[in-house]
Amino acid sequence: MTGLDAVDGASPWQQRLLTRDLVAVCLVQDGTVVHANETLSDLLGVPAADLSGESFLSFVDDADRPAVETALAAGRTTPDERQEFTCTVIGADGSERAVEIHGTTVEYEGAPAAMSVVLERDDRRTDAASLYRAIVENSRDIAYVYGPDGRTELVNQRVTEFTGIPVAALEGTYLLDFASVVDAETFARYADAVEGILTGDRTDAAVEMESEIGPRTVTGEHRLTPLERDGAVEGVVGIARDVTKRKERERQLSELKQVLTRVMRHNLRNDINVIRACAELLADSADDEVRDLAQQIVEKCDSLTDTSQKATRIERAILRDGDVTETDIGDLVSEIAARADRNHPNATVERTGPASVTARAHDDIDLAIENLVENAVKHNDSPEPWVGIDIERDDKTVTIRVADDGPGISPEEVAILERREETALEHGSGAGLWLAATVANASGGGITVDRTDRGTEATLRLPAPEESPERP
């Protein structure tokens, strides 16, 4: 086994550092460089291939060589200790650079070797370190700072409370070295996010990680942002929150939803059907009062069934992703208007606007528009209700207006729609409006409902595609 395949004892993040050019890295064995990456080659001005086989000390200023030699030797005798020291290195062109070296002992071809990360020093970082530390330590959330090589430079006490690992054991380690607590896929997602920020490919990232901390399974939500100075990324700031209780609550609510959906709603529907059948039998009674009461029961059963069906549709619109596609709203509105005309022969349904107009809409847009039309007809106390459906289009928006000459929507129902509360299901038109609002939002549009001099007008707005020919 040769090359980097021969390295053992390096953490997953250290393996990334060895195989990529994120920061300057080399392997030093018995004082000799056995591997160097391109970033170190650029720092020293020597081709990476030419660095291999050279004494590491040959690139160190004479005054610093004894201290560096002692540190490298200590790494061989006490491999569990991390080596951190500063020195001056000399480039091929004679230039001097002050660097920090962070060494970790690994095995290369079966023998100890120092994996050394070489970072150029910047005295300004020292000036800011106390400020960074104060901010991190006083954060109420889990907070940490990674350096340009992914090494943990700062971490607060909240991390210890979350993981049970002391702050002193975390600072100076490479990211997630301590966390064999996460699976390989989770580590890869997190490491990709950190690397993307360090390289400037990403400006922020959010990663959810489930970890085994002792006997507990905990879930942390990590938000990562770059630590920048003078336009250059110098590290990564991480803020994390323990969302274990929230995730457990979400799981419990999901289970409750399944019970309500699969059991209670099914039972409710069956019980309503039984009650309705009994009421229909009573409707044949010779007693006028009994017949009137039976008819009220039938109507209430129908109303409950309708509300249950709307709740199912709302649930479907919220929970399933659905597709937002280009849809001929003109044809769809014509079909809905014709159906409403057939189902409500006493009503007048007028449809105006272009016969064909395309909008970007969610799969359930037909349910949304149909509910607006049904509300306009059913909640109109006139013996001959009027409903107008109009379509307009401009460069960015397709607008569908559904107006009626009914008593007008109440302020309470408008407030329910704006708050999007579940109490909408207690109101006859509220559930339909909520469904329409849910679908409109999923389409990238919106809905408003206004009380007019004539009655109520619901305005549904959908995004128009870039080019959409209308057919008059």
Side-chain angles (χ1 to χ4, degrees), residues 148-171:
D149 58 341
R151 189 173 51 87
T152 307
E153 294 190 344
L154 294 175
V155 64
N156 68 355
Q157 188 62 33
R158 288 284 291 120
V159 178
T160 296
E161 295 170 11
F162 183 67
T163 65
I165 303 170
V167 168
L170 294 173
E171 290 188 346

PDB file of all heavy atoms in Angstrom, residues 148-171:
ATOM      1  N   PRO A 148      -9.549  28.217   8.941  1.00  0.00           N
ATOM      2  CA  PRO A 148      -9.537  27.936   7.499  1.00  0.00           C
ATOM      3  C   PRO A 148      -9.254  26.482   7.161  1.00  0.00           C
ATOM      4  O   PRO A 148      -9.532  26.041   6.048  1.00  0.00           O
ATOM      5  CB  PRO A 148      -8.421  28.858   6.971  1.00  0.00           C
ATOM      6  CG  PRO A 148      -7.583  29.164   8.158  1.00  0.00           C
ATOM      7  CD  PRO A 148      -8.481  29.178   9.335  1.00  0.00           C
ATOM      8  N   ASP A 149      -8.709  25.729   8.114  1.00  0.00           N
ATOM      9  CA  ASP A 149      -8.437  24.302   7.885  1.00  0.00           C
ATOM     10  C   ASP A 149      -9.505  23.413   8.500  1.00  0.00           C
ATOM     11  O   ASP A 149      -9.360  22.191   8.524  1.00  0.00           O
ATOM     12  CB  ASP A 149      -7.066  23.930   8.462  1.00  0.00           C
ATOM     13  CG  ASP A 149      -6.963  24.216   9.950  1.00  0.00           C
ATOM     14  OD1 ASP A 149      -7.781  25.015  10.463  1.00  0.00           O
ATOM     15  OD2 ASP A 149      -6.062  23.664  10.612  1.00  0.00           O
ATOM     16  N   GLY A 150     -10.593  24.008   9.027  1.00  0.00           N
ATOM     17  CA  GLY A 150     -11.650  23.215   9.640  1.00  0.00           C
ATOM     18  C   GLY A 150     -11.359  22.845  11.077  1.00  0.00           C
ATOM     19  O   GLY A 150     -12.085  22.044  11.676  1.00  0.00           O
ATOM     20  N   ARG A 151     -10.304  23.428  11.657  1.00  0.00           N
ATOM     21  CA  ARG A 151      -9.971  23.155  13.046  1.00  0.00           C
ATOM     22  C   ARG A 151     -10.847  24.023  13.946  1.00  0.00           C
ATOM     23  O   ARG A 151     -11.106  25.182  13.657  1.00  0.00           O
ATOM     24  CB  ARG A 151      -8.489  23.453  13.284  1.00  0.00           C
ATOM     25  CG  ARG A 151      -7.942  23.014  14.636  1.00  0.00           C
ATOM     26  CD  ARG A 151      -6.432  23.204  14.656  1.00  0.00           C
ATOM     27  NE  ARG A 151      -6.096  24.551  14.226  1.00  0.00           N
ATOM     28  CZ  ARG A 151      -6.047  25.592  15.030  1.00  0.00           C
ATOM     29  NH1 ARG A 151      -6.318  25.472  16.308  1.00  0.00           N
ATOM     30  NH2 ARG A 151      -5.709  26.792  14.562  1.00  0.00           N
ATOM     31  N   THR A 152     -11.312  23.451  15.054  1.00  0.00           N
ATOM     32  CA  THR A 152     -12.173  24.176  15.979  1.00  0.00           C
ATOM     33  C   THR A 152     -11.341  25.190  16.756  1.00  0.00           C
ATOM     34  O   THR A 152     -10.497  24.816  17.573  1.00  0.00           O
ATOM     35  CB  THR A 152     -12.858  23.213  16.971  1.00  0.00           C
ATOM     36  OG1 THR A 152     -13.523  22.187  16.239  1.00  0.00           O
ATOM     37  CG2 THR A 152     -13.873  23.953  17.829  1.00  0.00           C
ATOM     38  N   GLU A 153     -11.567  26.469  16.498  1.00  0.00           N
ATOM     39  CA  GLU A 153     -10.814  27.513  17.175  1.00  0.00           C
ATOM     40  C   GLU A 153     -11.524  28.008  18.430  1.00  0.00           C
ATOM     41  O   GLU A 153     -10.887  28.335  19.424  1.00  0.00           O
ATOM     42  CB  GLU A 153     -10.571  28.686  16.222  1.00  0.00           C
ATOM     43  CG  GLU A 153      -9.654  28.340  15.057  1.00  0.00           C
ATOM     44  CD  GLU A 153      -9.241  29.561  14.257  1.00  0.00           C
ATOM     45  OE1 GLU A 153      -9.893  30.620  14.407  1.00  0.00           O
ATOM     46  OE2 GLU A 153      -8.266  29.463  13.496  1.00  0.00           O
ATOM     47  N   LEU A 154     -12.846  28.094  18.368  1.00  0.00           N
ATOM     48  CA  LEU A 154     -13.630  28.553  19.506  1.00  0.00           C
ATOM     49  C   LEU A 154     -14.873  27.690  19.642  1.00  0.00           C
ATOM     50  O   LEU A 154     -15.447  27.246  18.637  1.00  0.00           O
ATOM     51  CB  LEU A 154     -14.056  30.016  19.330  1.00  0.00           C
ATOM     52  CG  LEU A 154     -12.968  31.090  19.319  1.00  0.00           C
ATOM     53  CD1 LEU A 154     -13.593  32.443  18.999  1.00  0.00           C
ATOM     54  CD2 LEU A 154     -12.240  31.153  20.641  1.00  0.00           C
ATOM     55  N   VAL A 155     -15.296  27.488  20.865  1.00  0.00           N
ATOM     56  CA  VAL A 155     -16.518  26.726  21.107  1.00  0.00           C
ATOM     57  C   VAL A 155     -17.044  27.157  22.472  1.00  0.00           C
ATOM     58  O   VAL A 155     -16.260  27.488  23.375  1.00  0.00           O
ATOM     59  CB  VAL A 155     -16.240  25.208  21.052  1.00  0.00           C
ATOM     60  CG1 VAL A 155     -15.294  24.777  22.155  1.00  0.00           C
ATOM     61  CG2 VAL A 155     -17.523  24.407  21.125  1.00  0.00           C
ATOM     62  N   ASN A 156     -18.346  27.216  22.656  1.00  0.00           N
ATOM     63  CA  ASN A 156     -18.868  27.675  23.941  1.00  0.00           C
ATOM     64  C   ASN A 156     -19.371  26.514  24.801  1.00  0.00           C
ATOM     65  O   ASN A 156     -19.433  25.362  24.369  1.00  0.00           O
ATOM     66  CB  ASN A 156     -19.957  28.741  23.756  1.00  0.00           C
ATOM     67  CG  ASN A 156     -21.227  28.190  23.138  1.00  0.00           C
ATOM     68  OD1 ASN A 156     -21.308  27.035  22.758  1.00  0.00           O
ATOM     69  ND2 ASN A 156     -22.241  29.046  23.023  1.00  0.00           N
ATOM     70  N   GLN A 157     -19.747  26.870  26.024  1.00  0.00           N
ATOM     71  CA  GLN A 157     -20.126  25.859  27.006  1.00  0.00           C
ATOM     72  C   GLN A 157     -21.398  25.124  26.596  1.00  0.00           C
ATOM     73  O   GLN A 157     -21.617  23.987  27.004  1.00  0.00           O
ATOM     74  CB  GLN A 157     -20.326  26.527  28.374  1.00  0.00           C
ATOM     75  CG  GLN A 157     -20.536  25.561  29.538  1.00  0.00           C
ATOM     76  CD  GLN A 157     -19.333  24.655  29.765  1.00  0.00           C
ATOM     77  OE1 GLN A 157     -18.196  25.067  29.541  1.00  0.00           O
ATOM     78  NE2 GLN A 157     -19.586  23.426  30.185  1.00  0.00           N
ATOM     79  N   ARG A 158     -22.230  25.761  25.775  1.00  0.00           N
ATOM     80  CA  ARG A 158     -23.475  25.097  25.348  1.00  0.00           C
ATOM     81  C   ARG A 158     -23.186  23.822  24.564  1.00  0.00           C
ATOM     82  O   ARG A 158     -23.983  22.884  24.585  1.00  0.00           O
ATOM     83  CB  ARG A 158     -24.306  26.062  24.494  1.00  0.00           C
ATOM     84  CG  ARG A 158     -24.941  27.185  25.274  1.00  0.00           C
ATOM     85  CD  ARG A 158     -26.154  26.712  26.073  1.00  0.00           C
ATOM     86  NE  ARG A 158     -27.245  26.361  25.175  1.00  0.00           N
ATOM     87  CZ  ARG A 158     -27.803  25.170  25.103  1.00  0.00           C
ATOM     88  NH1 ARG A 158     -27.372  24.178  25.855  1.00  0.00           N
ATOM     89  NH2 ARG A 158     -28.804  24.946  24.270  1.00  0.00           N
ATOM     90  N   VAL A 159     -22.038  23.778  23.872  1.00  0.00           N
ATOM     91  CA  VAL A 159     -21.678  22.556  23.152  1.00  0.00           C
ATOM     92  C   VAL A 159     -21.445  21.422  24.141  1.00  0.00           C
ATOM     93  O   VAL A 159     -21.858  20.279  23.915  1.00  0.00           O
ATOM     94  CB  VAL A 159     -20.427  22.781  22.278  1.00  0.00           C
ATOM     95  CG1 VAL A 159     -20.033  21.493  21.579  1.00  0.00           C
ATOM     96  CG2 VAL A 159     -20.691  23.871  21.254  1.00  0.00           C
ATOM     97  N   THR A 160     -20.790  21.732  25.246  1.00  0.00           N
ATOM     98  CA  THR A 160     -20.550  20.718  26.275  1.00  0.00           C
ATOM     99  C   THR A 160     -21.872  20.230  26.863  1.00  0.00           C
ATOM    100  O   THR A 160     -22.063  19.028  27.083  1.00  0.00           O
ATOM    101  CB  THR A 160     -19.653  21.292  27.382  1.00  0.00           C
ATOM    102  OG1 THR A 160     -18.377  21.597  26.828  1.00  0.00           O
ATOM    103  CG2 THR A 160     -19.474  20.287  28.516  1.00  0.00           C
ATOM    104  N   GLU A 161     -22.786  21.161  27.101  1.00  0.00           N
ATOM    105  CA  GLU A 161     -24.097  20.773  27.635  1.00  0.00           C
ATOM    106  C   GLU A 161     -24.837  19.857  26.668  1.00  0.00           C
ATOM    107  O   GLU A 161     -25.576  18.961  27.085  1.00  0.00           O
ATOM    108  CB  GLU A 161     -24.926  22.025  27.918  1.00  0.00           C
ATOM    109  CG  GLU A 161     -24.348  22.913  29.006  1.00  0.00           C
ATOM    110  CD  GLU A 161     -25.061  24.248  29.087  1.00  0.00           C
ATOM    111  OE1 GLU A 161     -26.129  24.395  28.432  1.00  0.00           O
ATOM    112  OE2 GLU A 161     -24.567  25.148  29.791  1.00  0.00           O
ATOM    113  N   PHE A 162     -24.625  20.092  25.373  1.00  0.00           N
ATOM    114  CA  PHE A 162     -25.314  19.311  24.337  1.00  0.00           C
ATOM    115  C   PHE A 162     -24.659  17.945  24.128  1.00  0.00           C
ATOM    116  O   PHE A 162     -25.331  16.929  24.007  1.00  0.00           O
ATOM    117  CB  PHE A 162     -25.313  20.113  23.038  1.00  0.00           C
ATOM    118  CG  PHE A 162     -26.042  19.455  21.899  1.00  0.00           C
ATOM    119  CD1 PHE A 162     -27.411  19.274  21.940  1.00  0.00           C
ATOM    120  CD2 PHE A 162     -25.352  19.030  20.771  1.00  0.00           C
ATOM    121  CE1 PHE A 162     -28.090  18.678  20.888  1.00  0.00           C
ATOM    122  CE2 PHE A 162     -26.017  18.437  19.719  1.00  0.00           C
ATOM    123  CZ  PHE A 162     -27.392  18.258  19.778  1.00  0.00           C
ATOM    124  N   THR A 163     -23.318  17.930  24.086  1.00  0.00           N
ATOM    125  CA  THR A 163     -22.600  16.700  23.731  1.00  0.00           C
ATOM    126  C   THR A 163     -22.013  15.955  24.924  1.00  0.00           C
ATOM    127  O   THR A 163     -21.716  14.772  24.825  1.00  0.00           O
ATOM    128  CB  THR A 163     -21.438  17.022  22.782  1.00  0.00           C
ATOM    129  OG1 THR A 163     -20.476  17.843  23.476  1.00  0.00           O
ATOM    130  CG2 THR A 163     -21.929  17.760  21.548  1.00  0.00           C
ATOM    131  N   GLY A 164     -21.824  16.667  26.052  1.00  0.00           N
ATOM    132  CA  GLY A 164     -21.155  16.046  27.184  1.00  0.00           C
ATOM    133  C   GLY A 164     -19.642  16.062  27.061  1.00  0.00           C
ATOM    134  O   GLY A 164     -18.934  15.510  27.895  1.00  0.00           O
ATOM    135  N   ILE A 165     -19.113  16.699  26.008  1.00  0.00           N
ATOM    136  CA  ILE A 165     -17.668  16.747  25.770  1.00  0.00           C
ATOM    137  C   ILE A 165     -17.134  18.099  26.244  1.00  0.00           C
ATOM    138  O   ILE A 165     -17.653  19.139  25.855  1.00  0.00           O
ATOM    139  CB  ILE A 165     -17.354  16.551  24.277  1.00  0.00           C
ATOM    140  CG1 ILE A 165     -17.934  15.220  23.780  1.00  0.00           C
ATOM    141  CG2 ILE A 165     -15.852  16.587  24.022  1.00  0.00           C
ATOM    142  CD1 ILE A 165     -17.875  15.043  22.284  1.00  0.00           C
ATOM    143  N   PRO A 166     -16.097  18.121  27.091  1.00  0.00           N
ATOM    144  CA  PRO A 166     -15.568  19.386  27.620  1.00  0.00           C
ATOM    145  C   PRO A 166     -15.057  20.294  26.500  1.00  0.00           C
ATOM    146  O   PRO A 166     -14.564  19.824  25.475  1.00  0.00           O
ATOM    147  CB  PRO A 166     -14.427  18.951  28.546  1.00  0.00           C
ATOM    148  CG  PRO A 166     -14.709  17.528  28.866  1.00  0.00           C
ATOM    149  CD  PRO A 166     -15.403  16.956  27.663  1.00  0.00           C
ATOM    150  N   VAL A 167     -15.149  21.612  26.740  1.00  0.00           N
ATOM    151  CA  VAL A 167     -14.676  22.597  25.773  1.00  0.00           C
ATOM    152  C   VAL A 167     -13.211  22.362  25.436  1.00  0.00           C
ATOM    153  O   VAL A 167     -12.802  22.414  24.270  1.00  0.00           O
ATOM    154  CB  VAL A 167     -14.896  24.027  26.313  1.00  0.00           C
ATOM    155  CG1 VAL A 167     -14.153  25.041  25.458  1.00  0.00           C
ATOM    156  CG2 VAL A 167     -16.384  24.356  26.356  1.00  0.00           C
ATOM    157  N   ALA A 168     -12.405  22.082  26.458  1.00  0.00           N
ATOM    158  CA  ALA A 168     -10.968  21.892  26.238  1.00  0.00           C
ATOM    159  C   ALA A 168     -10.680  20.721  25.309  1.00  0.00           C
ATOM    160  O   ALA A 168      -9.677  20.715  24.585  1.00  0.00           O
ATOM    161  CB  ALA A 168     -10.263  21.677  27.575  1.00  0.00           C
ATOM    162  N   ALA A 169     -11.542  19.723  25.320  1.00  0.00           N
ATOM    163  CA  ALA A 169     -11.335  18.558  24.454  1.00  0.00           C
ATOM    164  C   ALA A 169     -11.770  18.834  23.022  1.00  0.00           C
ATOM    165  O   ALA A 169     -11.416  18.077  22.112  1.00  0.00           O
ATOM    166  CB  ALA A 169     -12.105  17.359  25.002  1.00  0.00           C
ATOM    167  N   LEU A 170     -12.537  19.906  22.818  1.00  0.00           N
ATOM    168  CA  LEU A 170     -13.046  20.215  21.483  1.00  0.00           C
ATOM    169  C   LEU A 170     -12.168  21.226  20.754  1.00  0.00           C
ATOM    170  O   LEU A 170     -11.929  21.092  19.556  1.00  0.00           O
ATOM    171  CB  LEU A 170     -14.471  20.759  21.580  1.00  0.00           C
ATOM    172  CG  LEU A 170     -15.543  19.784  22.086  1.00  0.00           C
ATOM    173  CD1 LEU A 170     -16.857  20.515  22.294  1.00  0.00           C
ATOM    174  CD2 LEU A 170     -15.718  18.642  21.111  1.00  0.00           C
ATOM    175  N   GLU A 171     -11.700  22.249  21.476  1.00  0.00           N
ATOM    176  CA  GLU A 171     -10.898  23.268  20.818  1.00  0.00           C
ATOM    177  C   GLU A 171      -9.576  22.678  20.341  1.00  0.00           C
ATOM    178  O   GLU A 171      -8.880  21.984  21.070  1.00  0.00           O
ATOM    179  CB  GLU A 171     -10.658  24.445  21.777  1.00  0.00           C
ATOM    180  CG  GLU A 171     -11.925  25.239  22.040  1.00  0.00           C
ATOM    181  CD  GLU A 171     -11.667  26.508  22.835  1.00  0.00           C
ATOM    182  OE1 GLU A 171     -10.570  26.640  23.412  1.00  0.00           O
ATOM    183  OE2 GLU A 171     -12.566  27.368  22.871  1.00  0.00           O
TER     184      GLU A 171
END
